[in-house]
C-alpha cells in the first residue's frame, strides 16, 4: 500500500496550504494588514526554486528597513543564524523552516522576538539549548521541531497556543508548572524526556492535540479525572482530537479523562505498561474515533462489547496484550472498515508520523498515508472461539492479523471477499478444516501466513498464491494439507491419514528418482553438453526437487514433534 513519496509530499503541501497547519496565524486579516504597507521578504511559496535560492548576506549587515513579516521557508539562509535579524524587532511573523541553519540560536533572538507572535524554524540543524524560561515571550505559535536541540524543555510562553518541539534531543523532566492556559497543540514527540508527566498538565484545558510519544516517560499516565466534573466542558480533554502517548514506559489504567473527549479521532497508547481493561464506555464516549492503537501493553479482559459501534474506526490495533474472550461481536457495524478507501477520501491530516507494523517492518507513515490503511490487528492475545463469518464484510481491510491467539473453527469461507487485503496472518491458532478456495481471489495479497494451525485438505491453486514470496513457508505446521507447494497427492489424502499414506510412498519415490537419475545422467549428459535449453531445464528440475524435499521434511518433522508432544503426557 506504500504510496509514492511524491504523493505524500503533495498531501503535505496541500495540508500546509489548507486547514490544519497554516504556516501563518489563522488570523488572515491580521496578516493582510501586516503585508500591506510593510517591506516583505518572502521566498516562502517558491517551493521548487527555493532550493537553489541562496541568501548571501554579510554577518555585519544592518538592514535599512524594518520588517513585519519575514518568510524564508526552504531558502538557503544558513548555516549560521542570520545576524542581521537582530535589529528586526518589529517582526511579528518569522519563518525560517528548512533554511539550512546549523547553529545555536543566539541569545538576542529571545529578546528581539519577544513580541513576535509566530516563530517557525523547524527542519534545520539548530542545536544548543533553549532558555530555561520563555514565559515573557508573547508568541502564540512556536515551531522548532526536527532540529537538534538539547537541554530541558523551557517554561512555556504564557499565551502560547501551539508549540512543537518534536524530534529533537530534549532531555530531563518536563517543567513542573505547565502554565499556558491557551495551549491547544503541545507536541514533544521523539525526544529523550524522562520522569513523570506533571499533574499541572490537567490545567491545560484547551489542549486538542497532545503528543508525548517516543520519550522515556515513566509513572502514571494522565488521568485528570474527578467523578464530580465528569460532564464539565472546560476540563482537560474536552477539546482533544488527537492523543499520542505511545512508546514510553507509562503505567496505570486506561486514562479516565477520555470520557470527556467526545471529539477524539486519534488515540495511540501503544508500547507502554498500561493494565486493566479496555473500558466499556470507550465506544460510547469517543464516537468519532478513527484510529485506536493500544498495542503492546498489558491490557486484559474482553474487547468492549460495543466497540463495533465505532463506525469511523478504520484502524484497530490491540496486538500484544492479554485480551481474552471471543470476537463474536457484530463486526458489520464497523462501517469505516466496510469501505474501500481511495486517495480522494476526505482527509484529516496531522503532521506527525507514527510507525506502523506491517509485514514485520517498521515503516514511517504520515497521517496522509494512514488514512489509506484499514487495519484490524488482534494478534498475540488470548482470543478464543471462532472468527465470525461476518468478518468478510469488512471489505476495506488492507491488513488483517489474528496471529498467535487460540482461535478455532474454520477460516471464514468468504475470506476472498476481502479484496483489498495486502497482508493476512492467521498463523499460530487452531484453525481447522480446509483453506477456502476463495483465498486465491485475493489479488492484492503480498503476505500470507497460515503456519501452525490444524488445516487440512488441498491448498487452493491460484496465481496470486503461487506468486507470494514466502510461498514455501506459509503452510508449515498443518499436517493435513496437500497439494500446492506442499506437494503430495490430494486424492489419497484425508484428515485421519494426514499424510501417513505418502510417508510410505516416499522411499520408493526417492529410489525411483535416484535410479532414474543415475541411468539418465549418462544418457542426458552428452546431450546437455550440446544443448543449452536442456541444461537449464535440468537444473530447474533439481531446484524444484530440492524445495519439495525440504518442505516435506519440515512438515514431517513438525508432525512428528506434535505426535511426540501429544503422546508425552
Ligand atoms: C498575554 O495576553 C494578554 C491578553 O491578551 C496580554 O495582556 C499579555 O500582555 C500577554 N502576555 C505576554 C507575555 O505577551
Ligand atoms: C502478526 O502478528 C504477529 C504477532 O503479533 C507478528 O509476529 C507478525 O509479524 C504479524 N504479521 C504481520 C503480517 O504483520
Ligand atoms: C484438527 O482438526 C480436526 C478436524 O479437521 C479435529 O478433529 C481435530 O480435533 C483437530 N485437532 C486439534 C489439535 O485441534
Amino acid at each position: 500500500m506504500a504510496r509514492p513519496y511524491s504523493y505524500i509530499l503533495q498531501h503535505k503541501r496541500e495540508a500546509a496550504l489548507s486547514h490544519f497547519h497554516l504556516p501563518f496565524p489563522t488570523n488572515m486579516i491580521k496578516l493582510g494588514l501586516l503585508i500591506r504597507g510593510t517591506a516583505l521578504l518572502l521566498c516562502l511559496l517558491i517551493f521548487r526554486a527555493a532550493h537553489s535560492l541562496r541568501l548571501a548576506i554579510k554577518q555585519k549587515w544592518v538592514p535599512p528597513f524594518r520588517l513585519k513579516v519575514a518568510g524564508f521557508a526552504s531558502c538557503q539562509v544558513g548555516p549560521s543564524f542570520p545576524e542581521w535579524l537582530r535589529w528586526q524587532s518589529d517582526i511579528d511573523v518569522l519563518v525560517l523552516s528548512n533554511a539550512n541553519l546549523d547553529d545555536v540560536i543566539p541569545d538576542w533572538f529571545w529578546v528581539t522576538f519577544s513580541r513576535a507572535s509566530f516563530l517557525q524554524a523547524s527542519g534545520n540543524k539548530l542545536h544548543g539549548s533553549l532558555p530555561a524560561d520563555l514565559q515573557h515571550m508573547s508568541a502564540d505559535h512556536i515551531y522548532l521541531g526536527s532540529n537538534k536541540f538539547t537541554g530541558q524543555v523551557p517554561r512555556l510562553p504564557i499565551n502560547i497556543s501551539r508549540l512543537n518541539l518534536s524530534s529533537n534531543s530534549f532531555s530531563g523532566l518536563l517543567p513542573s508548572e505547565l502554565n499556558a492556559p491557551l495551549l491547544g497543540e503541545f507536541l514533544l514527540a521523539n525526544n529523550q524526556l524522562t520522569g513523570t508527566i506533571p499533574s499541572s498538565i490537567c490545567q491545560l484545558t484547551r489542549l486538542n492535540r497532545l503528543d508525548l510519544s517516543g520519550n522515556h516517560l515513566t509513572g502514571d499516565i494522565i488521568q485528570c479525572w474527578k467523578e464530580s466534573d465528569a460532564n464539565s466542558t472546560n476540563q482537560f480533554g474536552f477539546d482533544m482530537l488527537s492523543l499520542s502517548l505511545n512508546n514510553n514506559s507509562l503505567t496505570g489504567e486506561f486514562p479516565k479523562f477520555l470520557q470527556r473527549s467526545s471529539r477524539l479521532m486519534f488515540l495511540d497508547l501503544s508500547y507502554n505498561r498500561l493494565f486493566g481493561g479496555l473500558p466499556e464506555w470507550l465506544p460510547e464516549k469517543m464516537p468519532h474515533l478513527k484510529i485506536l492503537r493500544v498495542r503492546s501493553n498489558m491490557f486484559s479482559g474482553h474487547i468492549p462489547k460495543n466497540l463495533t459501534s465505532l463506525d469511523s474506526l478504520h484502524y484497530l490495533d490491540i496486538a500484544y496484550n492479554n485480551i481474552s474472550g471471543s470476537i463474536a461481536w457484530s463486526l458489520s457495524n464497523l462501517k469505516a472498515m466496510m469501505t474501500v478507501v481511495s486517495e480522494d477520501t476526505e482527509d484529516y491530516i496531522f503532521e506527525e508520523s507514527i510507525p506502523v507494523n506491517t509485514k514485520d517492518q517498521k515503516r514511517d507513515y504520515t497521517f496522509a498515508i494512514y488514512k489509506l490503511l484499514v487495519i484490524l490487528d488482534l494478534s498475540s492475545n488470548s482470543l478464543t472461539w471462532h472468527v465470525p463469518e461476518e468478518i468478510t464484510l469488512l471489505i476495506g481491510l488492507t491488513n488483517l492479523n489474528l496471529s498467535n491467539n487460540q482461535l478455532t473453527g474454520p477460516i471464514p469461507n468468504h475470506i476472498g471477499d476481502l479484496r483489498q487485503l495486502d497482508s493476512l496472518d492467521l498463523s499460530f491458532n487452531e484453525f481447522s478444516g480446509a483453506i477456502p478456495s476463495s483465498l486465491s481471489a485475493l489479488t492484492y495479497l503480498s503476505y500470507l501466513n497460515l503456519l501452525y494451525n490444524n488445516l487440512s485438505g488441498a491448498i487452493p491453486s491460484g496465481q496470486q498464491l503461487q506468486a507470494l514470496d514466502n510461498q514455501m513457508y506459509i503452510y508449515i505446521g498443518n499436517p493435513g494439507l496437500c497439494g500446492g507447494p506442499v506437494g503430495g497427492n490430494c486424492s489419497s489424502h484425508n484428515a485421519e491419514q494426514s499424510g501417513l499414506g505418502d510417508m510410505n510412498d516416499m522411499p520408493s519415490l526417492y529410489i525411483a528418482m535416484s535410479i532414474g537419475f543415475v541411468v539418465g545422467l549418462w544418457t542426458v549428459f552428452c546431450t546437455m553438453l550440446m544443448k543449452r535449453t536442456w541444461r537449464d531445464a535440468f537444473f530447474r528440475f533439481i531446484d524444484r526437487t530440492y524445495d519439495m524435499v525440504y518442505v516435506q521434511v519440515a512438515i514431517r518433522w513438525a508432525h512428528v514433534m506434535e505426535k511426540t508432544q501429544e503422546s508425552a503426557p
Side-chain angles (χ1 to χ4, degrees), residues 135-138 158-159:
Q135 278 186 305
H136 67 281
M137 300 283 292
S138 295
I158 187 96
N159 288 340

Side-chain angles (χ1 to χ4, degrees), residues 269-555:
L269 302 176
S270 56
Y271 299 99
N272 278 295
R273 302 193 186 139
L274 306 176
F275 52 81
L278 297 174
E280 286 295 328
W281 48 256
L282 190 154
E284 182 201 339
K285 302 287 187 177
M286 292 180 257
H288 302 298
L289 210 55
K290 291 167 186 273
I291 295 178
L292 175 59
R293 295 182 88 221
V294 296
R295 187 186 184 83
S296 205
N297 278 288
M298 298 177 293
F299 285 118
S300 55
H302 293 197
I303 296 172
K305 250 196 249 73
N306 293 330
L307 197 74
T308 53
S309 66
L310 292 173
D311 56 14
S312 302
L313 192 72
H314 68 87
Y315 192 119
L316 175 61
D317 184 353
I318 65 167
Y320 293 100
N321 279 285
N322 197 14
I323 304 285
S324 53
S326 63
I327 318 178
W329 1 299
S330 54
L331 291 162
S332 61
N333 289 331
L334 291 167
K335 295 267 168 8
M337 295 196 186
M338 295 170 73
T339 316
V340 176
V341 288
S342 70
E343 288 173 14
D344 2 284
T345 304
E346 201 196 312
D347 219 340
Y348 55 100
I349 293 180
F350 301 92
E351 259 177 1
E352 79 242 72
S353 66
I354 69 143
V356 178
N357 281 347
T358 48
K359 289 196 239 159
D360 296 347
Q361 291 166 3
K362 276 197 177 171
R363 273 186 273 171
D364 270 8
Y365 283 82
T366 61
F367 272 86
I369 212 80
Y370 226 118
K371 64 156 193 168
L372 298 170
L373 293 172
V374 182
I375 288 187
L376 185 56
D377 192 339
L378 309 179
S379 66
S380 292
N381 279 289
S382 307
L383 296 169
T384 50
W385 199 235
H386 297 358
V387 175
E389 180 72 32
E390 248 188 336
I391 204 168
T392 62
L393 298 174
L394 307 180
I395 57 166
L397 280 176
T398 57
N399 303 71
L400 175 59
N401 195 345
L402 303 176
S403 166
N404 211 5
N405 282 290
Q406 289 130 41
L407 298 166
T408 57
I411 297 178
N413 208 19
H414 294 110
I415 193 90
D417 291 353
L418 303 178
R419 290 290 153 88
Q420 303 301 316
L421 273 188
D422 176 57
S423 91
L424 173 63
D425 196 339
L426 302 177
S427 60
F428 298 95
N429 279 291
E430 287 151 32
F431 288 114
S432 57
I435 302 178
S437 59
S438 71
L439 198 70
S440 56
L442 298 175
T443 44
Y444 293 141
L445 202 63
S446 68
Y447 182 92
L448 173 66
N449 194 345
L450 301 175
L451 283 180
Y452 293 94
N453 278 288
N454 182 20
L455 299 165
S456 54
I459 291 173
S461 55
Q463 285 193 338
Q464 187 58 28
L465 294 184
Q466 274 151 31
L468 292 171
D469 293 343
N470 59 343
Q471 241 221 99
M472 288 300 173
Y473 311 102
I474 295 174
Y475 309 102
I476 293 172
N478 294 282
L481 286 177
C482 60
V486 166
N489 185 353
C490 283
S491 56
S492 74
H493 244 278
N494 60 45
E496 266 74 42
Q497 253 187 331
S498 67
L500 276 175
D502 20 59
M503 190 75 124
N504 301 333
D505 297 344
M506 250 9 218
S508 48
L509 173 68
Y510 291 141
I511 291 167
M513 248 162 50
S514 315
I515 295 173
F517 182 68
V518 172
V519 174
L521 185 66
W522 291 105
T523 343
V524 169
F525 188 62
C526 302
T527 345
M528 280 218 302
L529 277 176
M530 306 294 156
K531 226 170 142 65
R532 196 171 158 227
T533 45
W534 287 29
R535 208 154 58 219
D536 291 350
F538 173 74
F539 286 114
R540 263 205 306 278
F541 167 74
I542 295 289
D543 275 357
R544 254 202 313 265
T545 313
Y546 171 78
D547 286 347
M548 197 178 76
V549 171
Y550 176 83
V551 172
Q552 287 288 353
V553 169
I555 289 168

